[in-house]
Amino acid sequence: MDSCNCIEPQWPPDDLLMKYQYISDFFIALAYFSIPLELIYFVKKSAVFPYRWVLVQFGAFIVLCGATHLINLWTFTMHTRTVAMVMTTAKVFTAVVSCATALMLVHIIPDLLSVKTRELFLKNKAAELDREMGLIRTQEETGRHVRMLTHEIRSTLDRHTILKTTLVELGRTLALEECALWMPTRTGLELQLSYTLRQQNPVGYTVPIHLPVINQVFSSSHAVKISPNCPVARIRPAGKYMPGEVVAVRVPLLHLSNFQINDWPELSTKRYALMVLMLPSDSARQWHVHELELVEVVADQVAVALSHAAILEESMRARDLLMEQNVALDLARREAETAIRARNDFLAVMNHEMRTPMHAIIALSSLLQETELTPEQRLMVETILKSSNLLSTLINDVLDLSRLEDGSLQLDLGTFNLFAVFREVLNLIKPIASVKKLHVSLNLAPDLPEYAIGDEKHLMQTILNVVGNAVKFSKEGSISITAIVAKSELLRDSRTPEFFPVPSDNHFYLRVQVKDSGVGISPQDIPKLFTKFAQTQSMATRNSGGSGLGLAICKRFVNLMEGHIWIESDGLGKGCTAIFMVKLGIPERLNEPKLPFMPKVPTNHGPTAFPGLKVLVMDENGVSRMVTKGLLVHLGCDVTMVSSSEECLHVVSHEHKVVFMDVCVPGMDGYEVAIRINEKFTKRHERPIIVALTGNTDKVTKENCMRVGMDGVILKPVSLDKMRSVLTDLLEHRVLLEAI
Amino acid sequence: MDLVQLQRQFVDYKTSLYHEGFLDEQFTQLQELQDENNPDFVVEVVSLFFEDSERLLNELARALEQQNIDYKRIDAHVHQLKGSSSSIGAQRVQKVCIAFRNYCEEQNVEGCLKCLQQVRHEYSLVKTKLESLFQLEQQILTAGGSFPM
């Protein structure tokens, strides 16, 4: 035994203490070994842990500490130097690692602490976000409610439904206890409770409109919290609980006039309604901002919906009115059409029915005039004739006027002799004028064309009417008729500013002025002159007869002729001047006037000879035979004479163009001859023209002649001119248009 | 007498004939028909008239003497006479003929006889007048002038 390398520990004699140390060391080591295991286990489990290497370090530190304590177990007893070495190494390592760890922890712990602060911060943030999310959700819900409300409100155009729906939906959305609407009365001085949510039939409470709380609400566009004790909120009977908060908002009542085309409606309307909303009494709920916003939006929507409803009502009313008017107009139009039709039928019938008897009366009266009558009878017949002429004129005037007004009268244009028209008028008026001892003078301008194109008949009628009036209304003095071609400076008359005639190459304006020195017309009567059936009430006119239509008809004719007519007078007793202008056409230069519508035989002298015209004359009377032959020979005809019907039939051939036969001799049947001739010549162009010469003008002879197929009848004795025109006519027309 | 005086006499005479109703425009017409182709037209016609009328007047006288008067025939004759006289313009003769025809229709013998007498009278008057007129014309022609129409 000598030197053992074992180190003798300073064994205290206390065994128990050593035992406890031994055990504690063991447990410490155990704990120290298990802590990293736990750490590793849990860190592995967690996904995020930024300080892994710290853990490693710490683990190493713990493990080494554990190892140290473990190795300590062996040092309680005799241990070898190796164990001591190991112990020392372990301790050294442990010391190093622990110092490093201690140093590191200085850095790490603040970090860890800050993590904690951040965590707290995040938690707060999360809580805040949660809160906000809650708010947004609420708002979105509110928005949904508003949309639904709006949809409900706007889905109807009935005012009552709109308001009711608003209240119901608001009540539901906001869980209100009561919701009421106060509308302004007609006078605008009070608000009346019109609609409530809970009460079915609100009694008509009214409050004056000028309460301060109401003014406050009306002056702001937001929902305003008001006291539950103010009059508008005291709708329900007071409960035992604290009344809930009340909010009031204004609802503008817009009118159609508020909507300008280019502006949005200014809320400067005077009229508002008041909507009052009450939260439930015992809920201690508060009005949230979003709820107030909801209420405001709803109020606006309601305003719009109400105005739409009002507009619709208005337009429906207008449409109904229009429809009614339409129906009434249609009825009126149909009635008018019926009336016009009835009138036209009446006129058409009357036209014929009235004219026929008139014609008979006039014709027979004039025939009666021709016969032998005693003076009284003659007077009577003349009166009949005059009256019936007046009546006939009246009928014609009335019919003309109605045709003129219908526009169915058209001008009968033709070329006519203007001078002749004036002369004719003069001739017609001279007798009456001379009876009244009036002097009539006619002045035709030198540049007035002799021929013109226009409606001759109506122009003459107009001039005659105007001149006739002048004569009618003058008891003494003179009448002057002046006709000129209107020059451009005269065309624009200051008295007729609305008349703008435009002269052209083919037309000229005839200006006729008729001046009389008669009773004149007072200025206030002048406008009435041209109206139908109106007559001035002066003494002179009452006895003058006439229907008052004359000037009205003249005016219409003149207008048809694109002209103008007016009357001037200086006053009663100072005479008057009638002036009219009409538009007439200028005919082309012709040697002879064309008379297209003249039914009479033209009096132009045609060929003075009919050379070689083969004519057959049959007359029993030698003298008249000779005379007729002489006539025809003078006209250059080749005349064959026969004195009996047999001879006539024998001689007549297709060479003879005309056969003159005397038919009034009794005992000789000229008619028989005519029939035979007709039979002989079947072809019309071969047959000669057969003319009867007779001394009788009676109708029977004429009818007989026409019946047997004669082409004409001439009355003996025949003059040369007559024979000439007869032959011309016959050869031109193959028929005689006149029988005389 | 010299030409101018003759012409004046002619004109006056003719005018008086018209004035007194012996002649009417028909005679003027006849004169118009006379030209160089027909120089004696008027004389011819008038001569024919004289012949015709005389014949008719004789017939009428004979017819009215009958026991049973044939009014139809008388009417026919008078019609002829009327036609002739109107053809040359013997106005007064024509007028009497018209009256004659009326009496014929009435079958009034006295009336007819009276008319016949009247017709005869008028006829002879107009014959004389016309003959004088033609004599005057001849005188003027021989005197070398042309007679005014």
Side-chain angles (χ1 to χ4, degrees):
Chain A
M1 201 144 11
D2 7 347
S3 67
C4 68
N5 285 342
C6 41
I7 297 169
E8 302 247 350
Q10 311 277 353
W11 280 96
D14 230 7
D15 242 357
L16 194 67
L17 278 170
M18 220 116 57
K19 267 206 173 102
Y20 282 134
Q21 267 191 4
Y22 191 84
I23 293 168
S24 312
D25 270 335
F26 174 70
F27 273 112
I28 288 171
L30 196 65
Y32 273 23
F33 280 134
S34 60
I35 285 173
L37 284 175
E38 285 169 11
L39 269 175
I40 291 169
Y41 173 72
F42 282 116
V43 165
K44 269 221 160 67
K45 274 243 164 163
S46 90
V48 179
F49 195 76
Y51 303 114
R52 262 183 212 234
W53 64 275
V54 168
L55 260 179
V56 165
Q57 220 173 353
F58 201 68
F61 161 67
I62 295 284
V63 161
L64 281 172
C65 276
T68 315
H69 281 288
L70 194 66
I71 295 171
N72 243 358
L73 286 176
W74 273 270
T75 57
F76 286 117
T77 53
M78 288 294 263
H79 51 281
T80 60
R81 196 171 172 89
T82 323
V83 172
M85 283 298 290
V86 168
M87 182 74 198
T88 316
T89 321
K91 273 203 176 152
V92 168
F93 273 129
T94 309
V96 167
V97 171
S98 5
C99 287
T101 310
L103 281 171
M104 200 106 48
L105 277 177
V106 172
H107 293 282
I108 294 209
I109 286 177
D111 266 354
L112 284 176
L113 280 177
S114 80
V115 164
K116 250 325 190 186
T117 358
R118 237 181 286 161
E119 189 195 318
L120 199 60
F121 173 70
L122 278 171
K123 223 194 312 195
N124 280 344
K125 213 41 176 175
E128 212 179 283
L129 276 171
D130 260 340
R131 263 203 310 278
E132 264 177 33
M133 259 260 296
L135 259 172
I136 287 172
R137 214 177 280 136
T138 325
Q139 266 181 352
E140 200 226 337
E141 254 194 48
T142 311
R144 216 162 20 88
H145 278 296
V146 167
R147 270 198 299 282
M148 184 207 29
L149 253 168
T150 313
H151 178 76
E152 288 294 319
I153 292 171
R154 300 281 284 272
S155 68
T156 168
L157 285 169
D158 173 40
R159 166 184 266 253
H160 184 76
T161 321
I162 288 173
L163 292 169
K164 254 298 184 207
T165 316
T166 311
L167 296 179
V168 163
E169 291 297 323
L170 266 178
R172 214 184 22 203
T173 310
L174 299 171
L176 300 171
E177 174 175 340
E178 181 60 88
C179 186
L181 189 69
W182 299 77
M183 302 279 277
T185 55
R186 251 178 224 291
T187 58
L189 296 173
E190 291 182 326
L191 283 178
Q192 187 182 27
L193 181 63
S194 316
Y195 299 93
T196 56
L197 182 57
R198 308 283 171 206
Q199 295 165 343
Q200 284 311 306
N201 297 316
V203 184
Y205 296 129
T206 55
V207 294
I209 207 170
H210 290 298
L211 291 178
V213 62
I214 298 179
N215 281 337
Q216 184 198 3
V217 175
F218 280 176
S219 56
S220 146
S221 63
H222 297 290
V224 174
K225 289 211 187 92
I226 61 176
S227 152
N229 289 323
C230 72
V232 288
R234 259 194 271 125
I235 307 168
R236 315 266 274 151
K240 14 193 224 271
Y241 299 104
M242 267 276 285
E245 289 202 341
V246 181
V247 146
V249 69
R250 73 175 186 187
V251 180
L253 296 173
L254 300 166
H255 288 282
L256 191 57
S257 54
N258 291 119
F259 289 93
Q260 309 297 321
I261 304 290
N262 292 323
D263 312 323
W264 286 111
E266 305 281 328
L267 289 183
S268 57
T269 59
K270 305 288 190 304
R271 288 159 53 90
Y272 296 106
L274 190 73
M275 193 150 60
V276 173
L277 303 109
M278 281 185 263
L279 287 175
S281 359
D282 51 351
S283 68
R285 241 177 74 187
Q286 297 263 330
W287 280 100
H288 300 283
V289 171
H290 68 267
E291 288 170 344
L292 292 178
E293 278 172 9
L294 173 73
V295 166
E296 284 158 25
V297 168
V298 167
D300 280 337
Q301 288 297 318
V302 165
V304 172
L306 282 178
S307 67
H308 282 195
I311 291 173
L312 182 73
E313 239 174 73
E314 194 72 41
S315 74
M316 295 276 286
R317 214 191 9 238
R319 191 192 67 149
D320 283 338
L321 195 63
L322 274 174
M323 263 177 36
E324 256 176 64
Q325 278 179 344
N326 218 6
V327 167
L329 273 173
D330 205 29
L331 191 64
R333 182 182 59 96
R334 260 179 293 136
E335 275 176 16
E337 273 181 8
T338 318
I340 288 178
R341 255 202 305 274
R343 185 197 70 165
N344 285 344
D345 287 340
F346 170 77
L347 279 179
V349 164
M350 279 293 131
N351 191 1
H352 180 69
E353 296 301 328
M354 287 202 286
R355 282 205 170 129
T356 313
M358 279 315 303
H359 181 72
I361 296 173
I362 293 177
L364 291 174
S365 313
S366 44
L367 275 178
L368 197 57
Q369 253 187 342
E370 302 286 322
T371 63
E372 292 274 338
L373 296 169
T374 67
E376 303 93 54
Q377 285 176 330
R378 190 163 286 280
L379 194 61
M380 285 191 242
V381 172
E382 274 173 8
T383 314
I384 293 175
L385 205 53
K386 226 186 333 181
S387 315
S388 41
N389 272 330
L390 268 172
L391 188 58
S392 172
T393 314
L394 178 63
I395 292 173
N396 285 338
D397 275 355
V398 169
L399 290 170
D400 264 349
L401 195 60
S402 65
R403 264 191 306 149
L404 271 175
E405 293 193 324
D406 278 347
S408 59
L409 190 72
Q410 286 178 329
L411 291 178
D412 204 9
L413 296 176
T415 311
F416 63 95
N417 188 331
L418 196 57
F419 291 2
V421 167
F422 281 105
R423 274 199 291 271
E424 178 92 23
V425 169
L426 210 60
N427 287 338
L428 285 169
I429 215 74
K430 266 215 167 93
I432 312 174
S434 63
V435 161
K436 283 181 125 178
K437 298 205 176 26
L438 296 167
H439 177 248
V440 182
S441 65
L442 172 66
N443 285 323
L444 300 174
D447 61 349
L448 199 66
E450 189 179 346
Y451 292 100
I453 299 177
D455 190 333
E456 182 187 7
K457 173 166 156 263
H458 289 130
L459 181 64
M460 173 132 60
Q461 198 175 350
T462 308
I463 303 177
L464 200 54
N465 203 313
V466 171
V467 173
N469 277 345
V471 168
K472 211 190 323 179
F473 293 112
S474 303
K475 291 214 186 86
E476 60 193 359
S478 66
I479 314 256
S480 83
I481 309 171
T482 323
I484 60 171
V485 173
K487 301 288 184 300
S488 48
E489 63 270 9
L490 272 178
L491 288 175
R492 297 280 185 90
D493 210 311
S494 58
R495 284 160 293 210
T496 59
E498 64 275 3
F499 181 53
F500 292 124
V502 176
S504 68
D505 280 338
N506 301 338
H507 296 99
F508 71 98
Y509 280 88
L510 171 71
R511 186 179 194 273
V512 178
Q513 180 174 305
V514 178
K515 202 172 159 64
D516 72 54
S517 58
V519 294
I521 303 170
S522 62
Q524 64 255 31
D525 284 335
I526 289 188
K528 283 193 283 178
L529 281 172
F530 292 102
T531 53
K532 283 195 299 189
F533 305 115
Q535 282 188 322
T536 55
Q537 291 303 313
S538 58
M539 273 293 273
T541 62
R542 224 184 293 145
N543 300 326
S544 62
S547 59
L549 281 179
L551 277 177
I553 293 184
C554 282
K555 185 174 165 84
R556 276 165 183 74
F557 278 138
V558 166
N559 285 339
L560 261 182
M561 295 193 234
E562 295 176 55
H564 193 73
I565 180 169
W566 69 96
I567 293 191
E568 297 161 9
S569 172
D570 288 329
L572 283 168
K574 300 206 180 94
C576 79
T577 311
I579 307 171
F580 70 88
M581 288 205 264
V582 288
K583 188 175 176 184
L584 296 172
I586 304 175
E588 304 150 16
R589 296 250 154 244
L590 285 174
N591 285 330
E592 284 174 26
K594 285 201 286 272
L595 301 158
F597 299 121
M598 293 284 256
K600 301 202 288 278
V601 175
T603 55
N604 56 338
H605 296 282
T608 51
F610 304 90
L613 181 71
K614 271 181 103 63
V615 184
L616 185 64
V617 175
M618 185 195 86
D619 196 338
E620 204 197 33
N621 187 323
V623 177
S624 62
R625 196 168 60 228
M626 193 159 174
V627 171
T628 314
K629 177 185 171 189
L631 272 175
L632 293 165
V633 164
H634 192 75
L635 292 172
C637 304
D638 181 359
V639 185
T640 318
M641 293 213 292
V642 293
S643 53
S644 70
S645 48
E646 296 83 24
E647 224 185 311
C648 177
L649 285 170
H650 191 70
V651 170
V652 76
S653 73
H654 65 270
E655 285 178 343
H656 294 108
K657 292 278 181 274
V658 190
V659 173
F660 289 95
M661 62 173 71
D662 188 313
V663 296
C664 62
V665 177
M668 193 158 111
D669 206 349
Y671 304 124
E672 196 46 47
V673 178
I675 296 171
R676 294 269 197 82
I677 291 180
N678 273 336
E679 283 169 14
K680 189 170 172 184
F681 297 96
T682 47
K683 293 209 196 71
R684 185 149 171 89
H685 65 92
E686 277 183 352
R687 188 174 75 83
I689 304 171
I690 304 175
V691 181
L693 291 167
T694 173
N696 295 339
T697 52
D698 64 355
K699 215 170 158 195
V700 177
T701 316
K702 200 166 146 204
E703 272 176 14
N704 288 340
C705 292
M706 289 309 169
R707 204 160 17 90
V708 299
M710 296 207 185
D711 299 301
V713 179
I714 311 180
L715 178 64
K716 280 204 289 191
V718 193
S719 71
L720 187 60
D721 287 336
K722 182 89 216 138
M723 187 56 93
R724 196 186 282 133
S725 67
V726 160
L727 277 175
T728 317
D729 217 33
L730 282 173
L731 293 171
E732 212 175 310
H733 303 291
R734 270 204 78 94
V735 75
L736 206 52
L737 294 180
E738 270 189 27
I740 304 300
Chain B
M1 272 192 265
D2 69 340
L3 187 58
V4 175
Q5 264 185 315
L6 269 176
Q7 282 174 336
R8 199 179 307 134
Q9 201 183 13
F10 176 79
V11 168
D12 289 338
Y13 192 58
K14 203 157 97 165
T15 318
S16 73
L17 285 182
Y18 280 105
H19 210 65
E20 285 161 26
F22 284 107
L23 296 174
D24 63 13
E25 309 95 60
Q26 186 58 20
F27 192 71
T28 325
Q29 289 285 324
L30 284 183
Q31 290 188 313
E32 273 184 38
L33 293 175
Q34 184 161 305
D35 54 20
E36 47 285 1
N37 296 334
N38 244 337
D40 297 317
F41 181 68
V42 182
V43 174
E44 279 173 24
V45 175
V46 174
S47 315
L48 189 56
F49 169 69
F50 291 156
E51 281 172 33
D52 221 18
S53 306
E54 258 147 51
R55 180 180 56 87
L56 282 170
L57 286 169
N58 291 336
E59 289 276 331
L60 279 169
R62 239 204 318 273
L64 280 170
E65 280 164 16
Q66 304 286 329
Q67 281 291 59
N68 298 329
I69 298 174
D70 187 357
Y71 285 103
K72 274 207 160 55
R73 202 146 157 255
I74 291 180
D75 191 56
H77 289 318
V78 175
H79 184 86
Q80 285 266 327
L81 187 59
K82 180 177 142 222
S84 311
S85 55
S86 72
S87 292
I88 70 153
Q91 202 181 36
R92 281 159 82 141
V93 174
Q94 184 192 10
K95 284 206 174 118
V96 178
C97 288
I98 294 173
F100 203 144
R101 283 192 85 188
N102 287 339
Y103 284 125
C104 270
E105 267 180 49
E106 291 167 19
Q107 305 205 341
N108 186 338
V109 172
E110 259 96 57
C112 288
L113 284 168
K114 203 171 78 171
C115 274
L116 180 59
Q117 215 175 352
Q118 244 179 322
V119 166
R120 269 224 158 104
H121 178 70
E122 289 295 335
Y123 168 71
S124 51
L125 269 178
V126 86
K127 181 166 173 203
T128 320
K129 301 272 180 190
L130 282 170
E131 277 168 357
S132 317
L133 194 68
F134 290 144
Q135 252 181 334
L136 267 175
E137 279 181 21
Q138 274 302 109
Q139 277 180 332
I140 292 175
L141 271 174
T142 44
S146 58
F147 44 87
M149 296 291 267

